[in-house]
Amino acid sequence: MVNIFALSSLVPAALQMAVAPGPRHGYVSYPPSRQALCRDVPVPGCGDVKYEPQSVEARKGSFKCNGGGERFHELNEEHLWVDYFTVVHPDHAPLNFTWTLTAPHATSTWEYFILTEHNTKLISFDYGGVTPGYTVIHHVPLRGYTGRQTILARWNIADTAAAFYACVDVDIIPPTHKECLD
Ligand SMILES: *[C@@H]1O[C@H](CO)[C@@H](O)[C@H](O)[C@H]1NC(C)=O
């Protein structure tokens, strides 16, 4: 069963690549990633990613917000983003990350790392080559981390060496603080 499925999914992927090279695009829309903020706020000096937040594509394996590619170096410049942390109140629940895909593609894994805590991996999701829909939501456990943190989300494409990168700056309010406000 698994082999049959893998084979049948290869055919449309190959056709898609022949017709339109490089259509594999997506970014984290909520909590807003740096590229989403660049387009929507916009953040001063955040560069050309404003026009294509879905295009932060580079080789797999990087821990840089731009994936270590040649484009979009502004995503790595911490001083640009210090005033744009999104306050979240997960209250022990997982934080839900929404990816908006403009071109879904066969996926190997999605990975989440907390860059501000020595690149610790929070979770990964194995899609085994499946092509997702246009909206993907992941429940990401925060493992007790609080305060201002930068989370890197990586979308690893199954049939190329590429991944898509999105850094998300969140200010995680601890549960006790929220209970005081209630
Ligand atoms: C994320 O989604 C799950 C399931 O829908 C929900 O239980 C959880 O409360 C959500 N997390 C937040 C922080 O809203």
Side-chain angles (χ1 to χ4, degrees), residues 92-109:
H92 299 301
L95 195 58
N96 300 319
F97 284 74
T98 302
W99 280 79
T100 297
L101 308 185
T102 55
H105 198 71
T107 300
S108 60
T109 58

Side-chain angles (χ1 to χ4, degrees), residues 68-82:
E70 288 175 11
R71 304 181 70 195
F72 311 133
H73 63 90
E74 294 90 347
L75 294 171
N76 304 333
E77 292 173 16
E78 297 301 324
H79 70 274
L80 291 175
W81 310 100
V82 288

Side-chain angles (χ1 to χ4, degrees), residues 25-27 54 99-105 107 110 132-136 155:
H25 292 322
Y27 66 102
Q54 73 278 14
W99 280 79
T100 297
L101 308 185
T102 55
H105 198 71
T107 300
W110 309 75
Y134 285 87
T135 300
V136 175
W155 173 26

Side-chain angles (χ1 to χ4, degrees), residues 88-91 93-96 137-139:
V88 294
H89 300 261
D91 197 13
L95 195 58
N96 300 319
I137 297 175
H138 291 138
H139 307 304

Side-chain angles (χ1 to χ4, degrees), residues 28 34 60-65 95 97 99 109-125 138 140-143 145 149-156 163-170 172:
V28 176
R34 290 183 179 183
K60 292 186 176 98
S62 174
F63 285 98
K64 292 201 162 157
C65 293
L95 195 58
F97 284 74
W99 280 79
T109 58
W110 309 75
E111 301 171 297
Y112 290 82
F113 301 90
I114 189 158
L115 297 188
T116 33
E117 299 284 352
H118 314 290
N119 300 348
T120 301
K121 184 181 274 189
L122 291 170
I123 195 167
S124 63
F125 301 94
H138 291 138
V140 177
L142 295 173
R143 307 195 181 284
Y145 292 114
Q149 306 283 2
T150 299
I151 295 171
L152 171 65
R154 306 199 300 210
W155 173 26
N156 294 307
F164 286 84
Y165 293 82
C167 273
V168 182
D169 299 302
V170 286
I172 306 162

